[in-house]
Amino acid sequence: MLYRDLDTPALLIDRERLEKNLVYMQSYADKNKVNLRPHTKTHKMPEIAKMQLKAGACGIAVAKVGEAECMAQHGIKDIFIANEIVGKIKLERIAKLAQKGVEISFGVDSVCHITAAEEVFSAFKVSVPVLIEIEIGENRSGIVEEKDFINLLEALKKCEFVQFGGIFSHDGNSYGADNIDKLHEIARYSQERTLAFVNLAKAHGMNCGIVSYGATPTFMNEVEILDGITELRPGTYALMDASQGNAVGTLDKCAATVLATVMSKPTSERTILDVGAKGLTMQRRTVGICTTPGLGTIYEYPEIHIDKVFDEHAIVNSQSFHNKVEIGDKVRIIPVHICPVCNLYEKAYLISGDKVVKEIEIACRGKIV
């Protein structure tokens, strides 16, 4: 079957680009003598996760308990939930995964996370490691003050069933770096701050088994990985998107596109495609090296961008594009940010050249609890 024979909108994945991306990142991790733990929230597909493991990854990261459960059901047994977990219901679900032999771990940044987990895990008689998240510039979750870090270490010392697994960090602020030099500066600071907490833990008699650090723009631009980092945790690298492509200076690594049909040409400039916010999202990147024009880039005409989206319509205001396409033609769109886009589709089509070679279930789609 040719991909242009598919009904639209449809999520396509270029097999050769995907495979090259997986090889690149694994080689980068191997060169730096660190483990690779891909963040699968990007693609939400156990099949791609297994490709990453086969390529050499030590395990996977997920964002939610539901994703961990789904990946475990598909036979993946080493899973880190790179997020804080709150609530007895979620903790009990993690305990059940541990009882089934899944090597499960998750993030914490508050003492109450630890005490609640200890209560649940003691009832289930399971030991589960946690990683303390360190805030390194993204201004999101994670430890900011050293005193709070020490309080967490002291709380962990009192636990029988919650183990100290190490620390993790994410320099999502690297997406907004003004240039490559600034990106490298952010990466160095992020790692140095992360490693400072490793030393602080050691000074308090607790060694970090895992020091996990992640963000795709830094690794795709081959930043230096400092001694003491044990694990890289990128996500978007597998599929890439227009913003990540702009961060590395080429769209040639973008493996994922959305196939859409020209459905209307109501004026001499305006062209309407049959996919909108429900198939592309409304996300923009307007700052830093990931800056991307519009709400999607036309794969066949990379100088053309989507100007506006409604729920089910994408608007392109370009006379040149209008003159190049007819109603019924199909074009591919490189999303601005692929992670939320994958969550909108039930399946993806793996393509090689013009041919559809496989359908892949997006099994973790909607697993946001």
Side-chain angles (χ1 to χ4, degrees), residues 16 19 55 60 64 66 75 100 129 153 170-171 187 189 192 194-196 220 230 239 245 264 282 293 329 340 355-356:
E16 285 70 31
E19 290 173 347
I60 65 168
K64 295 297 182 78
K100 295 175 181 177
L153 295 179
H170 177 251
D171 60 2
Y189 168 79
E192 288 175 345
T194 300
L195 293 169
M220 290 303 295
T230 70
L239 300 181
S264 178
M282 299 181 74
D329 286 352
K355 295 182 179 179
V356 176

Side-chain angles (χ1 to χ4, degrees), residues 222-272:
E222 299 193 9
V223 301
E224 179 187 5
I225 302 301
L226 303 184
D227 290 341
I229 302 295
T230 70
E231 180 179 281
L232 306 183
R233 207 181 61 258
T236 316
Y237 80 94
L239 300 181
M240 295 290 281
D241 52 35
S243 67
Q244 296 289 349
N246 288 328
V248 298
T250 178
L251 298 177
D252 292 345
K253 298 179 185 295
C254 295
T257 54
V258 172
L259 185 67
T261 300
V262 177
M263 62 185 293
S264 178
K265 298 171 64 177
T267 74
S268 62
E269 288 191 350
R270 188 188 314 147
T271 304
I272 315 297

Side-chain angles (χ1 to χ4, degrees), residues 11 42-43 45 239 338-345 362 365:
L11 180 62
T42 290
H43 53 73
M45 303 178 213
L239 300 181
I338 189 60
C339 301
V341 171
C342 285
N343 194 52
L344 301 173
Y345 292 84
I362 307 177
R365 172 184 182 269

Side-chain angles (χ1 to χ4, degrees), residues 61-88:
V62 299
K64 295 297 182 78
V65 179
E67 291 175 344
E69 291 169 331
C70 180
M71 290 292 182
Q73 288 167 4
H74 285 80
I76 296 173
K77 299 299 184 182
D78 189 330
I79 304 172
F80 169 51
I81 306 172
N83 215 341
E84 284 70 34
I85 302 298
V86 175
K88 184 177 179 181

